[in-house]
Amino acid sequence: LVVFIVTAPMLTNSIPINLPKTEAVAPPDTKDPLVVSIDGSGKLFIGKDEIQPDLLESNLQAAKAADAELRVQLQADDQVDYGVVARAMAAIERAGITKLAVITAR
């Protein structure tokens, strides 16, 4: 198994190819993600607007209806109870959002 893991990447690069040169193409416009935040006291925010936890799912469903490619970033204070974060993630999933990034600090 170890031999396969080491040699498999080399097999895909075994054919020498001279790729054509092209001019840089601008990436397609990407919309900013919707940011869901949870502060240290457990309050929920969409963008900068505070919302009640029971309204998170319906607000996200409305945003998803307006933009089918909606991306969400979830950021939570490190002092927040895990249950609050888990409930927010579940609401995001129930709203039909599949593009979720959880933001952390280095």
Side-chain angles (χ1 to χ4, degrees), residues 56-72:
L56 178 61
E57 184 178 344
S58 61
N59 284 351
L60 292 175
Q61 286 173 339
K64 176 78 172 169
D67 180 8
E69 295 297 316
L70 181 65
R71 295 179 300 132
V72 172

Side-chain angles (χ1 to χ4, degrees), residues 1-100:
L1 181 61
V2 173
V3 172
F4 177 73
I5 293 172
V6 172
T7 58
M10 288 186 245
L11 295 175
T12 59
N13 297 330
S14 63
I15 301 173
I17 297 176
N18 292 322
L19 297 174
K21 305 277 189 262
T22 62
E23 292 184 26
V25 177
D29 290 336
T30 56
K31 297 177 184 174
D32 290 334
L34 183 65
V35 179
V36 175
S37 305
I38 306 172
D39 71 4
S41 63
K43 293 179 186 172
L44 279 169
F45 297 84
I46 293 182
K48 295 183 181 187
D49 301 323
E50 183 178 352
I51 63 162
Q52 295 301 313
D54 56 338
L55 297 178
L56 178 61
E57 184 178 344
S58 61
N59 284 351
L60 292 175
Q61 286 173 339
K64 176 78 172 169
D67 180 8
E69 295 297 316
L70 181 65
R71 295 179 300 132
V72 172
Q73 288 182 346
L74 176 62
Q75 56 187 17
D77 190 277
D78 63 357
Q79 300 301 312
V80 174
D81 181 56
Y82 176 74
V84 175
V85 177
R87 284 189 291 277
M89 291 178 75
I92 292 167
E93 182 180 4
R94 285 191 308 269
I97 295 168
T98 58
K99 297 177 182 178
L100 171 65

